[in-house]
Amino acid sequence: MSTSVIAKPLRIGGIELTVPVVLAPMAGITNTAFRRLCREYGAGLYVSEMITSRALVERTPESMRLIRHHESETPRSIQLYGVDPKTVREAVTMLVAEDRADHIDLNFGCPVPKVTRKGGGAALPWKLDLFRDIVEGAVKAAGDRPLTIKMRKGIDPDHLTYLEAGRIAEGAGVGSIALHARTASEFYSGHADWSAIAKLKETITDVPVLGNGDIWSAEDALRMVAETGCDGVVVGRGCLGKPWLFGDLAAAFTGGVLKAEPTLGEVARAYQRHAELLVEFFEDEARACRDIRKHVAWYFKGYAVGGETRAALAMSSSLDEIAQLLGRLDHDQPYPGADAEGQRGRAGTPKTPSLPDRWLDSREIAEGMRAEVAEAELHNSGG
């Protein structure tokens, strides 16, 4: 692998990124532990998992824990989800007043039914007035801290929202706009429509446009920038069990040499490091060891590890047990090539999005429905 380009620094408000790469918020994944691990390999902006505005305003213990950053994390980035302009504004005000974030992102891309059925995530931009109220209020509350948005193409092919939402966000003064080039109905299936990213980039001229969807390697990131003209990339499922991808991305965008072909020993050390960081994050070794289990298949994808060892790792309950299991592996086993590449995480299948009753009848939200949606806002964070 040798492809690389010299990328322009990405400026999001007052934040300048030498490498135009953003870690996408992922529920149950992008906690402090994983962010720190990815940061150790590369550079960019590393965003928290989704924090619910209502839960944050109510200061639930879980939300307050999820917004904590390690002292090594800078800039500090938090993603908020909300459907009520007042609550989102209060959450942003809190983060700024208490100096808990250097960058705030708003989630308008989540396709999960429990979110869209309440009018949130990818469903929300359909209601243009509600979307405008949330974004404008959040930008004002953020003050000089960059406030950005991440969204999808729309609800389904017949109800696209991204161009109108992009214009509204640009007019409101957001720091950047990220587009996952799928609709909510596609979930994570099929192939991302990168032509939509190009179209958004042509439409939005005053703020950076970031592309998201099907970036499994540094070469994919370079190809997205070349094909769409986007100003940077947002990486989600492609880095699952593959934190060294950020090292390759840094090399690709700064003219360095791509070299992320880890031996099994290097993978084992990353897995152990991840588990140790999770213990520090949860302050509970047993909980950390349960949490790392979901990463087993991602880390060891393509490597000859064996079903028994994989199963044992997926049942491990202590750092010592993990270390012993990893110690039995052939640490000199070379990178397996194509078998370790490609898609990671669940793609799901296309489905009809769950929406509030009569949501698609109008692009405006009736006052009664506005109050109903606000009352239904989620109270829990982190997915």
Side-chain angles (χ1 to χ4, degrees):
M1 296 188 293
S2 59
T3 304
S4 64
V5 299
I6 304 297
K8 296 179 181 178
L10 173 62
R11 180 169 288 280
I12 301 176
I15 297 173
E16 183 173 295
L17 304 175
T18 55
V19 177
V21 172
V22 177
L23 168 64
M26 291 180 282
I29 303 292
T30 57
N31 49 41
T32 301
F34 188 67
R35 298 195 306 267
R36 289 174 63 190
L37 182 63
C38 292
R39 192 183 292 273
E40 290 175 2
Y41 284 93
L45 185 64
Y46 299 86
V47 188
S48 75
E49 53 187 305
M50 186 182 81
I51 312 294
T52 300
S53 297
R54 174 71 65 85
L56 185 59
V57 170
E58 294 176 352
R59 293 180 176 269
T60 65
E62 181 67 0
S63 292
M64 298 306 292
R65 188 176 64 81
L66 288 175
I67 64 171
R68 290 205 309 263
H69 287 81
H70 186 264
E71 60 185 12
S72 65
E73 293 189 83
T74 180
R76 301 162 300 166
S77 179
I78 289 176
Q79 190 189 65
L80 291 178
Y81 155 85
V83 295
D84 174 46
K86 179 176 181 292
T87 305
V88 173
R89 188 171 63 249
E90 289 176 352
V92 173
T93 299
M94 172 189 167
L95 292 174
V96 172
E98 299 179 11
D99 189 26
R100 294 180 179 270
D102 304 304
H103 161 253
I104 301 166
D105 185 63
L106 297 185
N107 181 310
F108 296 109
C110 183
V112 175
K114 74 173 182 179
V115 169
T116 60
R117 75 164 55 100
K118 296 180 183 297
L124 198 144
W126 180 255
K127 300 298 187 182
L128 296 175
D129 52 347
L130 179 60
F131 178 79
R132 180 181 288 106
D133 287 348
I134 289 175
V135 176
E136 289 182 349
V139 168
K140 290 177 182 176
D144 60 0
R145 316 240 174 157
L147 187 292
T148 63
I149 70 165
K150 185 171 184 286
M151 60 183 181
R152 286 194 171 224
K153 288 172 56 181
I155 294 172
D156 56 38
D158 297 322
H159 301 90
L160 299 179
T161 57
Y162 71 105
L163 294 180
E164 293 157 305
R167 293 189 192 99
I168 290 171
E170 181 182 35
V174 300
S176 69
I177 301 170
L179 177 65
H180 183 160
R182 287 182 172 89
T183 62
S185 64
E186 292 174 285
F187 216 67
Y188 296 96
S189 65
H191 297 284
D193 175 18
W194 287 6
S195 69
I197 299 170
K199 193 168 184 179
L200 181 64
K201 176 60 183 173
E202 292 172 358
T203 303
I204 304 301
T205 57
D206 290 340
V207 299
V209 170
L210 311 180
N212 177 220
D214 294 353
I215 296 179
W216 310 110
S217 66
E219 288 91 342
D220 291 333
L222 296 181
R223 187 165 55 86
M224 177 184 280
V225 171
E227 291 182 10
T228 69
C230 65
D231 301 289
V233 299
V234 179
V235 179
R237 294 174 298 145
C239 68
L240 294 174
K242 196 176 177 182
W244 46 85
L245 175 59
F246 289 94
D248 251 13
L249 288 164
F253 281 117
T254 58
V257 178
L258 280 64
K259 56 182 179 181
E261 296 185 345
T263 63
L264 182 54
E266 290 171 321
V267 174
R269 285 191 287 277
Y271 186 88
Q272 182 77 36
R273 174 66 174 158
H274 193 168
E276 292 167 353
L277 290 171
L278 283 169
V279 172
E280 187 176 332
F281 170 61
F282 286 118
E283 299 178 333
D284 182 332
E285 183 172 348
R287 182 176 179 184
C289 291
R290 289 195 300 272
D291 191 79
I292 193 71
R293 294 172 183 175
K294 62 175 173 273
H295 296 266
V296 171
W298 299 327
Y299 270 101
F300 299 103
K301 178 177 170 25
Y303 290 88
V305 171
E308 288 186 9
T309 300
R310 290 173 186 268
L313 283 168
M315 294 293 289
S316 56
S317 56
S318 72
L319 290 180
D320 284 345
E321 186 178 353
I322 289 173
Q324 289 175 17
L325 290 167
L326 296 177
R328 299 172 191 166
L329 301 177
D330 174 11
H331 284 210
D332 294 326
Q333 184 182 138
Y335 184 70
D339 289 342
E341 301 291 345
Q343 183 168 308
R344 291 161 180 263
R346 295 179 180 176
T349 55
K351 61 193 71 177
T352 301
S354 299
L355 301 168
D357 188 42
R358 303 179 65 85
W359 188 255
L360 297 177
D361 287 359
S362 169
R363 298 303 304 271
E364 305 290 314
I365 186 165
E367 282 307 311
M369 180 179 286
R370 183 183 286 258
E372 182 180 333
V373 167
E375 184 61 30
E377 181 163 310
L378 298 178
H379 288 254
N380 59 304
S381 295

